[in-house]
């Protein structure tokens, strides 16, 4: 006897999952007064329609327990952000009971959605929804969670891009941080990883020593380096014999200082990052080196040894082996580090806040993340801070796309 196959709500579990998310977003938008009150009616219509459809299907298949779980999930999840996580659980339970009546393709789609939903839900709650909320805040006039604020359109962006010299100062400092730390960090890590990849005594000890800084709390590491740079009793001045030199309060640019003996005077951005900011860059390179070394070591160990043996038989020197074997086959790893390094460097914040809380002398260590923090949490102007965040997001997005278009062509993914 052939069992009649009853199709559940279409062939895509995303249907109910999407409905649950839509209901939650509308509920949030109404609560935040982003949408007018009549949208409550839309919510009711959608909820009633989904409930009716689910009821009909549940009655046809005698899956009332599944329907109950669905309603519990939607009901409990009606208050955001729980809705994003709980409502799909009810939907998933309903589909779980429906599994015997689903085709293999539908079951695969269902299990796929069910398994990825925790990550998707967290991504929605902690990344996408706050990002959209920040975009909305950037369009308001000085929102601070206390008083009333008005819709200001693009006014914050106009002020930020045309009338705020501090923003451009912070952006210039951040660009210097990216230019210095990303390529130098990858180069140093590559050299150290190549050395650690050789058969040397105490190899495990050396790898541990290089990785220790990365697992050290960034705030603690910054505090220690603040002591190292101290002008009175710092270790660096004692080592170099330069007592009294205040590394973190020296605003002169390193290019200007280096070229001054030649009679070349540089000013502004072209004077380069200040000595204070370079000191912070050195600390950042030290802290991140262990992580980069471990990643590059993993890439090195995936390169077949036969390539080096064949090169040695052909008389290739050590440098030629690194140039024509190691570097091309390591390019996926370095490309990965360059992409993450670019994004991370634009977000440099903790060490700058610990070592130069006010942004240094003449704001020479002010980064864009520290400027955003100052505007949001010191000046209580979340609208302006949100505008800064949106602009930084756009800059990172554009640079990442350009980086992928330019560098990915040179990446060798297969040996």
């Amino acid at each position: 006897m052939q069992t009649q196959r009853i199709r559940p709500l279409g062939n895509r579990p995303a249907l109910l999952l999407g409905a649950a998310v839509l209901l939650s977003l509308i509920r949030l938008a109404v609560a935040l007064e982003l949408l007018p009150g009549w949208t409550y009616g839309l919510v009711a219509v959608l909820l009633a329609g989904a409930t009716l459809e689910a009821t009909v299907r549940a009655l046809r298949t005698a899956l009332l327990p599944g329907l109950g779980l669905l309603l519990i999930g939607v009901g409990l999840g009606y208050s955001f952000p729980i809705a994003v996580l709980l409502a799909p659980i009810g939907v998933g339970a309903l589909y779980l009971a429906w599994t015997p009546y689903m085709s293999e393709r539908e079951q695969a789609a269902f299990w796929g959605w069910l398994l990825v939903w925790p990550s998707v839900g967290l991504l929605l709650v902690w990344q996408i929804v706050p990002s959209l909320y920040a975009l909305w805040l950037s369009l308001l006039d000085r929102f601070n969670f206390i008083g009333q604020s008005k819709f200001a359109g693009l006014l914050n962006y106009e002020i930020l891009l045309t009338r705020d010299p501090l923003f451009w100062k912070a952006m210039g400092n951040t660009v210097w941080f990216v230019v210095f730390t990303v390529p130098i960090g990858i180069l140093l890590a590559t050299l150290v990883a190549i050395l650690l990849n050789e058969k040397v005594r105490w190899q495990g000890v050396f790898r541990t020593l290089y990785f220790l800084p990365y697992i050290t709390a960034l705030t603690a590491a910054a505090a220690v380096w603040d002591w190292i740079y101290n002008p009175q009793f710092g270790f660096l001045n004692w080592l170099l014999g330069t007592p009294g030199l205040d590394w973190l309060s020296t605003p002169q640019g390193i290019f200007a200082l280096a070229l001054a003996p030649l009679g070349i005077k540089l000013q502004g951005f072209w004077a380069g990052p200040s000595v204070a900011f370079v000191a912070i860059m050195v600390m950042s390179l030290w802290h991140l080196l262990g992580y980069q070394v471990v990643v590059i070591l993993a890439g090195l160990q995936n390169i077949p040894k036969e390539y080096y043996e064949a090169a040695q038989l052909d008389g290739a020197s050590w440098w030629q082996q690194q140039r024509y074997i190691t570097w091309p086959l390591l390019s996926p790893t370095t490309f990965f580090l360059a992409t993450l390094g670019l994004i991370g460097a634009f977000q440099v914040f903790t060490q700058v806040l610990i070592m130069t809380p006010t942004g240094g002398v003449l704001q020479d260590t002010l980064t864009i993340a520290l400027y955003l923090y100052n505007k949001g949490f010191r000046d209580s102007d979340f609208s302006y801070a949100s505008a800064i965040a949106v602009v930084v997001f756009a800059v990172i997005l554009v640079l990442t796309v350009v980086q992928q278009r330019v560098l990915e062509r040179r990446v060798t993914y297969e040996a």
Side-chain angles (χ1 to χ4, degrees):
M1 179 179 177
Q2 186 176 4
T3 303
Q4 183 181 3
R5 181 173 171 275
I6 301 176
R7 293 177 62 81
L9 306 178
N11 58 354
R12 296 179 180 178
L15 180 65
L16 281 180
L17 299 180
V21 173
L22 179 61
L23 291 175
S24 304
L25 293 177
I26 292 176
R27 174 68 179 85
L28 172 66
V30 172
L32 296 175
E33 299 181 354
L34 304 180
L35 292 175
W38 59 264
T39 49
Y40 276 121
L42 177 61
V43 175
V45 171
L46 288 174
L47 186 59
T51 304
L52 179 62
E53 180 74 8
T55 303
V56 171
R57 298 291 180 178
L59 289 175
R60 290 177 60 185
T61 54
L63 293 176
L64 289 178
L67 175 62
L69 290 175
L70 167 66
L71 296 178
I72 291 173
V74 174
L76 290 178
Y78 197 66
S79 297
F80 188 86
I82 303 175
V84 179
L85 294 177
L86 291 187
I89 295 176
V91 178
L94 179 61
Y95 269 85
L96 183 63
W98 232 311
T99 300
Y101 303 95
M102 298 166 64
S103 67
E104 292 184 0
R105 182 179 178 181
E106 292 167 346
Q107 291 183 31
F110 157 67
W111 283 110
W113 276 103
L114 193 62
L115 291 175
V116 302
W117 182 253
S119 298
V120 174
L122 291 175
L123 186 66
L124 284 171
V125 171
W126 299 111
Q127 297 289 335
I128 296 178
V129 173
S131 299
L132 296 176
Y133 186 53
L135 179 62
W136 169 250
L137 288 183
S138 69
L139 303 177
L140 301 180
D141 180 21
R142 201 174 179 81
F143 179 83
N144 57 7
F145 296 101
I146 298 176
Q148 294 292 329
S149 57
K150 299 178 181 178
F151 183 77
L154 300 178
L155 179 61
N156 288 323
Y157 294 97
E158 190 270 333
I159 297 174
L160 184 68
L161 298 175
T162 62
R163 290 184 278 166
D164 189 351
L166 268 185
F167 168 75
W168 292 108
K169 178 72 175 180
M171 185 60 80
N173 289 336
T174 307
V175 169
W176 279 127
F177 190 87
V178 174
V179 171
F180 270 71
T181 58
V182 175
I184 292 178
I186 293 176
L187 180 61
L188 284 177
T190 303
L191 294 176
V192 173
I194 290 174
L195 293 176
L196 291 180
N197 197 39
E198 302 292 334
K199 293 181 179 179
V200 295
R201 196 176 184 184
W202 306 104
Q203 188 181 56
V205 175
F206 286 121
R207 291 180 179 180
T208 303
L209 289 177
Y210 276 105
F211 194 68
L212 277 178
Y214 183 68
I215 61 176
T216 304
L218 188 53
T219 51
V224 170
W225 276 84
D226 196 20
W227 169 79
I228 291 175
Y229 289 134
N230 189 283
Q232 278 76 42
F233 48 83
F235 174 76
L236 188 58
N237 279 338
W238 172 81
L239 184 66
L240 299 178
T242 55
L245 179 58
D246 195 346
W247 294 89
L248 296 176
S249 299
T250 304
Q252 287 82 11
I254 57 170
F255 295 159
L257 287 175
L259 298 177
L262 303 176
I264 301 175
K265 296 182 179 179
L266 299 175
Q267 295 181 346
F269 178 81
W270 303 110
S274 66
V275 174
F277 203 42
V278 172
I280 296 177
M281 291 180 193
V282 172
M283 177 266 159
S284 302
L285 286 171
W286 167 83
H287 185 262
L288 197 59
L289 182 64
Y291 165 75
Q292 294 174 322
V293 166
V294 168
V295 174
I296 294 177
L297 263 176
L300 287 174
Q301 292 177 358
N302 284 330
I303 300 176
K305 302 295 183 187
E306 292 79 7
Y307 293 175
Y308 295 101
E309 294 172 359
Q312 291 171 2
L313 290 176
D314 291 338
S317 64
W318 180 88
W319 170 250
Q320 289 173 325
Q321 294 176 40
Q322 306 307 319
R323 169 67 180 84
Y324 296 105
I325 298 176
T326 303
W327 180 250
L329 298 183
L330 202 59
S331 55
T333 305
T334 53
F335 178 67
F336 166 76
L337 289 176
T339 303
L340 292 188
L342 173 72
I343 298 173
F346 262 97
Q347 299 173 351
V348 58
F349 171 71
T350 304
Q351 57 268 51
V352 181
L353 179 66
I354 297 295
M355 301 171 77
T356 56
T358 60
V361 179
L362 303 177
Q363 304 296 315
D364 59 295
T365 62
L366 182 69
T367 62
I368 197 65
L370 181 60
Y371 188 48
L372 187 155
Y373 170 81
N374 289 339
K375 281 294 179 182
F377 296 97
R378 289 181 177 173
D379 298 343
S380 298
D381 190 350
F382 290 96
S383 296
Y384 202 75
S386 298
I388 297 173
V390 172
V391 171
V392 172
F393 167 76
V395 171
I396 293 176
L397 179 63
V398 170
L399 290 179
T400 303
V401 171
V402 171
Q403 186 183 42
Q404 288 189 333
R405 294 292 177 87
V406 175
L407 295 182
E408 198 169 21
R409 298 174 183 174
R410 301 177 182 274
V411 174
T412 304
Y413 286 106
E414 295 182 359

